[in-house]
Amino acid sequence: MKKVPELFGSMVFNEAVMKERLPKDVYKSLKQTVRQGTALDPQVAGVVANAMKDWAIEKGATHFTHWFQPMTGITAEKHDSFISPCADGTVIMEFSGKELMKGEPDASSFPSGGLRATFEARGYTAWDPTSYAFIKDDTLCIPTAFCSYTGEILDKKTPLLRSMEAISKEACRVLALFGKKVSRVTTTVGPEQEYFLIDKEDYKKRPDLILTGRTLLGARSPKGQELEDHYFGSIRPRVKAFMADLDEELWKLGVNAKTEHNEVAPCQHEMAPVFATANIATDHNQLTMEMMKKVADRHGLVCLLHEKPFEGVNGSGKHNNWSISTDRGENLLDPGSTPMENAQFLLFLTAVIKAVDEYQDLLRISVASAGNDHRLGANEAPPAIVSMYVGDELAAVIQSLVEGTDYKAAPAGLLALDAAASTISAGESSTNFSLRLSSSKLLEDISVLDEKYLIPVRMTSISNAARIGDESVSYVTVAQGTVKGPWTLLEGENNCYAKDPNDGAAWTLQYTADKLFDGSSEVGHEWISMFKTQIEFPMTFVVDMGNAHIFTNFIISDYSTHQGNYRDYELYIAEEYDGANTKWTLVAKGKRDYKWTGKPTDYDFPVQTLSAGRYLKFQIMKAEYDMTKGDYQFGRGKLGDVYGEGL
């Protein structure tokens, strides 16, 4: 069994090798160049070149090449041997710092289309010390950038390095405003490589595949694409052997090949590496694609890397998992648990959104190869666009910033729509829908009612319209509300009394219990009791609230004309009502002392026990009064103002 840690990076001139083979001062100077982007001392380059040559020869290498990425989608190489002739007819193995730092490839590295105007393609290659050198096919490959004699960029590595440097410079400036001292900010990429594997003998029978990389004619398979379980299906032994061989080759080259699985189309598969710095990741992806083809050939297979080799089934995308992080390991696009309060994250997020918006044409052009445009459009899809999806929660955060509103993410499972969809009628600009709050979530933590939440609502279709634009997302504010009547009285219809009408105009009002719970504040919607009326305590009222509620507090307006009077109150909640057999839960109780103010006094007392229920029982447990005052009235109160905050 192979020892993977020993195998990994065995063909790479990485930091471990540098520490072992380079003098300490040379190693420090090289690392400073890599980390800070400073110029490389030619003398340092000479020492590095000699150490690199000795290491490569020990690994069996005989040649070296400046390995770069022209604008052809593949890599370019021109091999030179290490030999240098001597006067006595023998040779020695040499590799100078000059040869390491700069090369001068000819125009044959580029396709000319029949016109060999070599001066347009001639230029220099320059060593990229931020990407490790490696050995491939007994050749020391030195990652380089390429530019013309006149300064034009002729490869894909140089723009990448320039963009990384620009991002690092500006990001460090921004982070300094947050009080963070950062030397360098780097972009990271984890490119997922999808591919097809087909038998070599079948491949040879298809000139269209050989010449173009995709099928130009033919019919779909009789059964079509009916492999719903292919993605998570078992990997066939022949393919597994290929993947094992591929992993070994990639690990030797320091490529962090991590995940391998079937893809959704027949004979389609995927390899996903662990993310790396953007320029290293692009080098590794070029190596991955090359190794896929070589290893497949050893197994009697052909690896198709065309983006859309077969009509009617999924093409092969290359998802780039991109991010940005500091040299201290901080991911600048990590929202954390409270993205709305993470100013640093919001700043970098909006910067990325702004960049995509302003440079969308450039982004689109960068992937507009013939093969990829065929995958994105062809005959099966609309034209490709550049879009961003940040998820519902981040979309709500961004919208709240735009509108200047408060925002807090609703806990999972707290809110739900009664209906999955609602329709805005023709000629109207709005529609109504109902939101439900989870009783179980509220009972776990009632403090969620102290917040306001933005809930995203997305339009999925518009009749007689060409498209749905940016207006397709809106937001509604959800907050705690007041629970009031009208409620249905179930018990207590006789617990309201009136004195002789001849005793005063105030007592001509009719006090009926059903009026106590209609939500009105009109005079007369009160309970009342008289000294001369025999009252049995507790005085009980039971109402059906129509829907289940969770109460956080109650307010009762009550008054008495006497100093020192008081009452005891109790409130109960029940999920179901069964008369005397009802299982009530005591949720609140309180005692109120009164002072005459000439108007009702609001009595606010908190809930002691959280409980959800549809039925409310309100009881006056006891009432005492001062008979020396000469007034027989001992109190009255308005139950229409009993309310709670909840569902």
Side-chain angles (χ1 to χ4, degrees):
M1 183 177 179
K2 301 180 179 69
K3 295 182 178 180
V4 176
E6 296 178 4
L7 181 69
F8 189 87
S10 58
M11 305 303 286
V12 182
F13 194 76
N14 52 30
E15 286 201 33
V17 179
M18 294 181 196
K19 287 181 179 180
E20 179 184 350
R21 293 178 174 268
L22 295 177
K24 188 176 293 185
D25 58 334
V26 173
Y27 174 76
K28 287 183 176 180
S29 178
L30 181 61
K31 291 304 296 180
Q32 186 177 9
T33 297
V34 173
R35 291 172 179 171
Q36 301 180 10
T38 58
L40 182 65
D41 188 340
Q43 293 183 349
V44 170
V47 178
V48 174
N50 187 65
M52 195 178 291
K53 179 256 302 180
D54 292 341
W55 169 80
I57 292 173
E58 292 175 11
K59 295 289 185 179
T62 57
H63 291 68
F64 70 91
T65 181
H66 275 204
W67 184 82
F68 62 102
Q69 302 173 19
M71 298 181 186
T72 59
I74 57 176
T75 59
E77 305 172 13
K78 186 183 76 170
H79 296 187
D80 289 294
S81 70
F82 289 120
I83 66 169
S84 180
C86 298
D88 59 359
T90 60
V91 297
I92 60 173
M93 307 294 274
E94 286 187 338
F95 184 50
S96 66
K98 181 180 179 181
E99 291 173 313
L100 171 63
M101 295 178 65
K102 187 176 72 173
E104 191 173 359
D106 60 27
S108 63
S109 302
F110 298 88
S112 62
L115 177 64
R116 195 166 180 82
T118 59
F119 71 91
E120 295 180 351
R122 295 187 68 92
Y124 297 101
T125 54
W127 175 36
D128 173 18
T130 62
S131 185
Y132 300 133
F134 57 91
I135 297 173
K136 176 174 67 73
D137 299 331
D138 296 331
T139 300
L140 174 64
C141 297
I142 304 162
T144 57
F146 185 85
C147 62
S148 72
Y149 284 156
T150 53
E152 286 85 2
I153 302 305
L154 300 175
D155 71 341
K156 294 186 176 182
K157 173 61 78 72
T158 304
L160 175 62
L161 293 174
R162 287 179 172 178
S163 68
M164 291 176 65
E165 185 63 29
I167 288 177
S168 179
K169 179 181 177 181
E170 298 303 322
C172 287
R173 291 178 58 198
V174 171
L175 289 171
L177 300 177
F178 288 94
K180 297 182 178 180
K181 189 176 181 180
V182 175
S183 302
R184 192 163 187 83
V185 172
T186 57
T187 55
T188 59
V189 173
E192 303 170 7
Q193 184 63 57
E194 296 178 0
Y195 59 97
F196 284 85
L197 285 179
I198 63 175
D199 189 271
K200 189 186 296 185
E201 297 303 316
D202 293 333
Y203 175 79
K204 293 179 179 179
K205 299 175 183 178
R206 297 299 301 259
D208 50 356
L209 278 178
I210 296 173
L211 295 174
T212 67
R214 69 182 179 94
T215 55
L216 302 178
L217 50 90
R220 296 178 62 178
S221 61
K223 295 183 67 177
Q225 186 184 355
E226 299 174 354
L227 298 172
E228 291 86 353
D229 63 338
H230 186 71
Y231 190 95
F232 291 110
S234 60
I235 301 173
R236 290 170 293 168
R238 190 179 182 186
V239 175
K240 181 60 181 174
F242 158 81
M243 290 179 172
D245 198 0
L246 176 64
D247 283 340
E248 184 173 336
E249 294 295 331
L250 293 178
W251 290 340
K252 290 179 183 177
L253 296 171
V255 179
N256 292 293
K258 178 76 171 177
T259 304
E260 55 192 28
H261 58 83
N262 300 328
E263 260 296 338
V264 295
C267 302
Q268 189 184 31
H269 311 277
E270 179 182 297
M271 191 284 291
V274 179
F275 70 89
T277 304
N279 66 313
I280 295 177
T282 55
D283 288 350
H284 284 179
N285 188 246
Q286 292 286 355
L287 286 172
T288 297
M289 293 188 292
E290 181 181 344
M291 286 301 166
M292 280 180 172
K293 292 185 176 183
K294 289 183 177 180
V295 174
D297 185 70
R298 295 205 297 256
H299 290 260
L301 300 168
V302 174
C303 179
L304 300 180
L305 294 175
H306 192 283
E307 293 88 343
K308 187 72 173 178
F310 303 105
E311 183 180 351
V313 298
N314 292 58
S316 295
K318 188 179 299 187
H319 300 143
N320 291 322
N321 301 293
W322 182 90
S323 192
I324 180 172
S325 60
T326 70
D327 55 357
R328 299 179 180 271
E330 181 183 8
N331 186 349
L332 299 179
L333 294 180
D334 182 4
S337 58
T338 54
M340 187 60 187
E341 302 169 6
N342 192 338
Q344 177 181 293
F345 161 73
L346 292 175
L347 178 59
F348 281 95
L349 174 65
T350 52
V352 171
I353 294 174
K354 181 178 174 62
V356 172
D357 180 55
E358 293 188 359
Y359 298 99
Q360 54 185 292
D361 293 342
L362 182 61
L363 291 172
R364 178 69 182 89
I365 291 171
S366 68
V367 297
S369 64
N372 204 35
D373 271 15
H374 182 70
R375 177 183 72 90
L376 294 173
N379 302 318
E380 306 167 27
I385 62 170
V386 177
S387 62
M388 295 189 70
Y389 176 71
V390 297
D392 290 341
E393 182 177 354
L394 284 184
V397 171
I398 295 170
Q399 189 72 16
S400 69
L401 290 175
V402 172
E403 298 179 352
T405 58
D406 294 331
Y407 169 81
K408 186 176 180 69
L414 175 64
L415 303 167
L417 286 170
D418 283 340
S422 185
T423 301
I424 301 176
S425 303
E428 301 292 331
S429 60
S430 62
T431 186
N432 295 322
F433 58 89
S434 298
L435 272 171
R436 290 181 291 106
L437 285 83
S438 168
S439 298
S440 60
K441 290 290 183 181
L442 290 175
L443 294 176
E444 290 176 4
D445 182 14
I446 199 65
S447 65
V448 297
L449 291 177
D450 297 331
E451 306 291 344
K452 293 182 178 180
Y453 306 106
L454 288 177
I455 311 301
V457 179
R458 184 172 300 276
M459 295 182 186
T460 57
S461 62
I462 300 178
S463 61
N464 301 321
R467 60 182 281 276
I468 302 174
D470 296 337
E471 64 279 6
S472 63
V473 179
S474 58
Y475 301 87
V476 297
T477 301
V478 179
Q480 56 187 337
T482 299
V483 182
K484 278 191 173 184
W487 297 334
T488 303
L489 182 68
L490 301 179
E491 296 180 25
E493 63 273 9
N494 296 320
N495 287 336
C496 285
Y497 302 86
K499 196 177 180 181
D500 186 348
N502 297 323
D503 209 25
W507 309 116
T508 62
L509 300 172
Q510 296 298 312
Y511 299 90
T512 58
D514 60 335
K515 293 183 178 181
L516 301 179
F517 310 100
D518 65 359
S520 174
S521 59
E522 296 180 12
V523 176
H525 295 202
E526 304 169 330
W527 64 265
I528 188 168
S529 60
M530 306 305 223
F531 174 70
K532 290 182 177 181
T533 304
Q534 186 67 34
I535 301 296
E536 294 184 3
F537 293 103
M539 182 186 289
T540 302
F541 301 94
V542 176
V543 294
D544 180 359
M545 297 182 288
N547 297 294
H549 300 288
I550 296 177
F551 291 94
T552 59
N553 70 299
F554 292 85
I555 292 180
I556 300 173
S557 291
D558 200 349
Y559 70 77
S560 172
T561 58
H562 291 170
Q563 304 279 359
N565 289 356
Y566 74 86
R567 287 176 190 85
D568 289 343
Y569 300 109
E570 291 185 0
L571 292 104
Y572 298 81
I573 288 287
E575 295 183 2
E576 299 179 352
Y577 177 73
D578 187 20
N581 298 321
T582 304
K583 297 181 180 178
W584 296 101
T585 300
L586 179 65
V587 295
K589 63 180 181 179
K591 177 180 177 181
R592 176 63 173 170
D593 292 310
Y594 293 94
K595 294 182 180 179
W596 171 243
T597 61
K599 60 182 180 179
T601 302
D602 288 340
Y603 178 24
D604 188 347
F605 58 99
V607 168
Q608 300 178 2
T609 304
L610 290 176
S611 181
R614 173 175 172 174
Y615 302 93
L616 173 67
K617 180 168 72 171
F618 173 73
Q619 290 186 316
I620 305 172
M621 303 303 297
K622 187 178 181 182
E624 294 187 5
Y625 44 90
D626 185 356
M627 296 177 57
T628 63
K629 300 296 183 180
D631 195 332
Y632 292 154
Q633 179 195 356
F634 73 79
R636 70 184 190 233
K638 189 165 51 181
L639 286 176
D641 284 342
V642 178
Y643 81 97
E645 296 177 342
L647 301 180

